[in-house]
């Protein structure tokens, strides 16, 4: 397991809003993978496939992207966060 420890359950208001979040990184191991996401307020989240986000769930994690299915006002969309490429100096 890549991340271990005690985790606190979150309420709906504490879930990450995918519309204001960006993907910071993806950790990939033989038995586990998760995405590191930061919301618009600078709070960090560790998300795995199946985890809840505001109005939806994470449906896939790839090496440089995270996809969530989000339902607002009865309309379901996929929100894809892609890792921003940084230039080496």
């Amino acid at each position: 397991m890549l991340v271990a420890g005690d985790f606190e359950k979150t309420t709906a208001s504490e879930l990450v809003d995918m519309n204001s979040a960006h993907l910071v990184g993806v950790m990939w191991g033989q038995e586990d993978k998760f995405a590191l996401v930061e919301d618009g307020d600078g709070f960090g989240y560790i998300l795995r496939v199946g985890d809840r986000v505001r109005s939806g769930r994470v449906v896939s994690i790839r090496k440089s992207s995270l996809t969530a299915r989000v339902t607002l006002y009865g309309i379901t969309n996929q929100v894809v966060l892609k890792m921003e490429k940084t230039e080496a100096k």
Side-chain angles (χ1 to χ4, degrees), residues 20-31:
S20 67
H22 68 274
L23 183 61
V24 176
V26 174
M27 298 297 292
W28 202 281
Q30 292 200 0
E31 297 181 23

Side-chain angles (χ1 to χ4, degrees), residues 1-76:
M1 175 170 265
L2 295 174
V3 174
D6 296 327
F7 299 98
E8 296 179 16
K9 290 219 174 233
T10 57
T11 63
S13 64
E14 296 172 323
L15 297 174
V16 63
D17 181 357
M18 296 301 290
N19 293 313
S20 67
H22 68 274
L23 183 61
V24 176
V26 174
M27 298 297 292
W28 202 281
Q30 292 200 0
E31 297 181 23
D32 194 14
K33 62 182 169 185
F34 59 89
L36 306 170
V37 175
E38 188 174 284
D39 69 9
D41 295 323
F43 292 103
Y45 299 83
I46 296 173
L47 298 174
R48 291 178 172 83
V49 172
D51 282 353
R52 292 175 47 215
V53 295
R54 192 170 297 164
S55 303
R57 289 200 180 274
V58 175
V59 293
S60 76
I61 297 174
R62 305 227 183 265
K63 299 246 182 211
S64 62
S65 68
L66 175 142
T67 303
R69 187 169 291 129
V70 177
T71 303
L72 293 172
Y73 307 110
I75 300 170
T76 301

